[in-house]
Structures are given as structure tokens and as C-alpha cells.
Amino acid sequence: MLNVEMWERFSYYGMRAILLFFITDEIANGGLGIAKNTGETILAIYGAAVFLLSIPGGIFADRIIGPWRSTLYGGVVIMAGHLCLSTPINSLSWTGIVLVAIGTGFIKPNLSTIVGGLYDEGDPRHAGFQLCYMSINIGAFASPLVTGWLREHYGYHAGFAAAAIGMAFALVAFVYGRSKLSTFAFDVPNPLNAD
């Protein structure tokens, strides 16, 4: 579970580190060749979309599939987005940016819900939250360094591929560890058919 959080943050901050350069760099250098002002606008829209898509991501989990499945599907969508970005085809790059934003919207509101479900009300143990925030910080710290180094030595697509590989490992661990979670993680708290 913490691996998914770490790699989701790695994905977000890694994208932020090289996405503007990728969008505005010349096509000959592996970029998309878009003007700097337009690139900055695209980056701002991407950043806003990541946070705004948390609203439908949370509602979808709350009403239809539950937090565990929402996190799993969000991770798969992020991984698919990074695979698209790691391919040197311009149309797939745009698809990848959209997929990463959508996938993050599914993960962001639901992993904290799953961690919160590990503890009963009044439980003095809150180590799960400390570990969760530590994994967020590790992913956020490491991602610009790793993606920047990969971009410098192997190109933009290698930087994007790093997040796809990391998310794949995180999803394997997430699925493997599902038996350690309470039924709370798999329940749909407010199903549509309950209305």
C-alpha cells in the first residue's frame, strides 16, 4: 500500500520535473516542440487536473467500487499513462498525460482512506500514517533526481518509463498485501443502489 503512495508521488513530481522541458523542447531533441507559454499552460492544467480529479475519484470509490479497487485501477491507469509517455509517439504522449492525471485522481483520495481503516476509533497507534507520509516524502524527493538524471543521460522517455516500472512493482506488492487489510478497504461505503 505504501509502495503505491510512494510511486504515485514519484509519478507526479517526476512528471513535474521534466514535463515542461518535454513539451517545449525541440522535436529533434525528443520533445514536442510547443511554445513555452503554451507549455506552461499545459503544465498548470495538468497540475490542477490531478487535484480536481480526486473529487470524482473519491465519489467513484465511495459509490461504486470501494477504495481498494479504486486505488488498484488508478495505479494501473497511471502505469499505462507512463507507458504511453515512454513511447516516442506524440499522440500517445498526450494520452499519457491525461491517463496519469486520471489515475492519480483515483489514488489520491483513497489510499488515505485505506490507511485510516486500519485503526479503530480511539486506537492510539497511528504508525501507518507516519509510514504513509514517509513514503510520500521519499517518492517526492527521489523523483526529480531520478527522472532528471534519466532524461539527461537517456532522454525524456526513459524518465517517464521509470515511473511505469516503479508503479508496476508497487501494484504487485499492493495486490499481494490485500489479505492484510480489513474488509473496510473493499467495502463500498455508500453504494448507488442504497438510495
Side-chain angles (χ1 to χ4, degrees):
M1 177 170 46
L2 300 177
N3 287 330
V4 175
E5 186 71 65
M6 182 179 76
W7 286 104
E8 182 271 325
R9 290 291 82 193
F10 184 97
S11 163
Y12 177 73
Y13 287 108
M15 284 274 285
R16 301 260 326 171
I18 65 173
L19 187 59
L20 181 60
F21 297 114
F22 173 64
I23 292 170
T24 59
D25 203 353
E26 296 176 8
I27 294 172
N29 295 333
L32 297 177
I34 294 176
K36 187 175 183 213
N37 287 343
T38 305
E40 290 171 347
T41 302
I42 292 167
L43 186 64
I45 291 168
Y46 164 74
V50 162
F51 290 98
L52 290 174
L53 288 169
S54 296
I55 297 168
I59 292 169
F60 197 79
D62 204 35
R63 304 297 310 259
I64 299 171
I65 60 174
W68 189 86
R69 277 194 217 115
S70 183
T71 301
L72 176 67
Y73 299 159
V76 170
V77 171
I78 287 174
M79 187 177 68
H82 281 291
L83 288 173
C84 289
L85 281 160
S86 67
T87 307
I89 301 171
N90 285 357
S91 59
L92 282 181
S93 296
W94 296 113
T95 303
I97 292 168
V98 171
L99 288 175
V100 171
I102 291 169
T104 304
F106 273 82
I107 287 179
K108 190 169 280 309
N110 294 303
L111 267 176
S112 299
T113 300
I114 293 171
V115 173
L118 294 173
Y119 304 101
D120 294 327
E121 195 152 332
D123 190 334
R125 301 170 300 147
H126 295 294
F129 285 106
Q130 292 171 347
L131 292 172
C132 185
Y133 286 115
M134 186 175 69
S135 69
I136 289 169
N137 290 331
I138 290 169
F141 175 76
S143 61
L145 302 174
V146 172
T147 56
W149 186 87
L150 287 170
R151 179 195 72 92
E152 184 69 29
H153 292 86
Y154 301 103
Y156 293 104
H157 303 295
F160 296 127
I165 293 166
M167 187 57 79
F169 285 122
L171 290 172
V172 168
F174 186 67
V175 171
Y176 178 75
R178 72 180 180 264
S179 62
K180 295 178 175 72
L181 299 173
S182 66
T183 58
F184 172 81
F186 305 96
D187 291 340
V188 178
N190 190 13
L192 284 174
N193 57 8
D195 292 340

